[in-house]
Amino acid sequence: MSNPEKTPQAQADADRRDDSDANKYRRSIFDVQVMLTVSIGQARLSVSDILELRPESVVPLTSRIDDPVELAIDNKIIARGELVETEDGSLGVKITELEEQASDALG
């Protein structure tokens, strides 16, 4: 009976359970905090437009309210999603798509 190959996710899970000193060091990276940026759109403004901004000014963006948003770490897009309201009334992002390169890098 042949041994089926492990999926990348199964291998990653097995690696996380490995109790060796080398793996403990490797796993320590999971606690590193990174800044996740959610991009909802862009606007191109002149300096004079920026200087005219006041409270309650509206800056139109290039995207619509129901367009997908992009999630990025260090300006590298890792996923896309849609804006949602959380149970406590704050804004959240429901992931709808993972970038292929990000998935490969994560295992």
Side-chain angles (χ1 to χ4, degrees), residues 25-64:
Y25 175 75
R26 189 169 158 243
R27 281 193 332 243
S28 68
I29 195 165
F30 291 116
D31 293 329
V32 173
Q33 301 264 325
V34 296
M35 182 62 68
L36 176 70
T37 303
V38 178
S39 176
I40 60 171
Q42 297 178 341
R44 189 181 252 343
L45 300 174
S46 67
V47 173
S48 63
D49 290 338
I50 293 169
L51 293 173
E52 291 175 8
L53 292 176
R54 301 286 179 256
E56 304 202 24
S57 293
V58 175
V59 178
L61 301 175
T62 57
S63 57
R64 302 178 56 87

Side-chain angles (χ1 to χ4, degrees), residues 8-22:
Q9 184 61 47
Q11 183 62 48
D13 290 343
D15 289 346
R16 286 188 196 105
R17 288 190 296 269
D18 178 4
D19 227 8
S20 69
D21 287 340

Side-chain angles (χ1 to χ4, degrees), residues 54-103:
R54 301 286 179 256
E56 304 202 24
S57 293
V58 175
V59 178
L61 301 175
T62 57
S63 57
R64 302 178 56 87
I65 193 75
D66 53 355
D67 283 349
V69 296
E70 296 178 333
L71 290 82
I73 296 174
D74 197 24
N75 293 324
K76 180 168 179 61
I77 297 171
I78 62 161
R80 289 184 177 74
E82 57 189 39
L83 295 175
V84 295
E85 186 175 354
T86 63
E87 289 178 11
D88 67 358
S90 62
L91 210 52
V93 178
K94 179 180 176 183
I95 304 298
T96 58
E97 174 187 349
L98 292 173
E99 280 294 302
E100 191 171 315
Q101 300 92 350
S103 298

